[in-house]
């Protein structure tokens, strides 16, 4: 029984390591912001624009996207909200012109206005045509994780830094 339990821990450790490596292809510590706040007296649309610009600037600094991509993302968001759940918004441009697929993450505690509701996590996705298929699985996992209130709260509470965010995301995806 102890050998079986030890083997199970080793298998789970390897599985978590593979999952973390896959997520690290798209997430980066330099594209992570904790402590997003709503600006008093600012409309939800202006607040969305500010968050998109803030997260977009992180990806621009990495050379993943350019300023036009940020502007196209704001345009896309104005067409219809990209809030997938009551906790997650996934703003993105309609064109896949990023040099690689990457995600800038913003964590808000408490939630911030987005579209008709409020969100706690904003995942600005920069899409690259070449990474589209590989990214689809990660994207589906994100939406699934952030559709479960308990998972969102666990991630938001413990995601005070990038390492904590990634640790919790991996643990919740694997659960």
């Amino acid at each position: 029984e102890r050998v079986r339990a030890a083997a199970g821990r080793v298998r789970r450790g390897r599985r978590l390591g593979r999952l973390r490596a896959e997520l690290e292809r798209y997430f980066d510590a330099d594209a992570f912001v904790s402590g997003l706040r709503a600006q008093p007296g600012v409309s939800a649309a202006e607040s969305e624009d500010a968050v998109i610009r803030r997260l977009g600037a992180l990806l621009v600094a990495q050379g993943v996207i350019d300023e036009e991509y940020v502007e196209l993302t704001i345009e896309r968001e104005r067409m219809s909200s990209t809030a997938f759940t009551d906790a997650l918004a996934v703003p993105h441009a309609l064109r896949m012109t990023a040099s690689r697929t990457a995600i800038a993450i913003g964590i808000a505690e408490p939630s911030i206005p987005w579209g008709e509701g409020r969100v706690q996590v904003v995942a600005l996705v920069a899409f690259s045509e070449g990474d589209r298929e590989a990214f689809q699985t990660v994207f589906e996992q994100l939406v699934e994780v952030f559709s479960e209130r308990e998972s969102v709260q666990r991630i938001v509470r413990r995601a005070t830094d990038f390492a904590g965010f990634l640790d919790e995301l991996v643990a919740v995806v694997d659960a």
Side-chain angles (χ1 to χ4, degrees), residues 144-163:
E144 183 178 326
V145 162
F146 287 104
S147 66
E148 298 171 10
R149 193 88 186 126
E150 188 176 302
S151 297
V152 172
Q153 293 310 307
R154 176 180 170 174
I155 291 169
V156 168
R157 271 194 315 272
R158 298 178 185 176
T160 57
D161 61 13
F162 178 72

Side-chain angles (χ1 to χ4, degrees), residues 100-112:
R100 64 180 174 86
T101 297
I103 306 170
I105 290 286
I107 305 290
E109 180 63 42
S111 62
I112 58 174

Side-chain angles (χ1 to χ4, degrees), residues 111-131:
S111 62
I112 58 174
W114 201 276
E116 298 296 315
R118 299 182 69 82
V119 298
Q120 289 185 279
V121 179
V122 179
L124 179 103
V125 181
F127 287 108
S128 163
E129 181 67 43
D131 292 336

Side-chain angles (χ1 to χ4, degrees), residues 39-97:
Q39 300 169 347
V42 173
S43 72
E46 290 172 312
S47 179
E48 291 169 9
D49 291 0
V51 170
I52 290 169
R53 287 183 200 288
R54 183 172 179 191
L55 295 176
L58 300 174
L59 296 177
V60 168
Q62 292 180 355
V64 173
I65 58 173
D66 57 18
E67 291 294 336
E68 181 184 20
Y69 193 97
V70 175
E71 294 306 317
L72 291 171
T73 301
I74 290 169
E75 272 183 44
R76 161 64 186 87
E77 192 64 38
R78 288 180 182 159
M79 284 191 267
S80 67
S81 176
T82 57
F84 276 84
T85 68
D86 63 351
L88 174 69
V90 187
H92 58 280
L94 293 176
R95 296 186 196 150
M96 294 186 233
T97 59

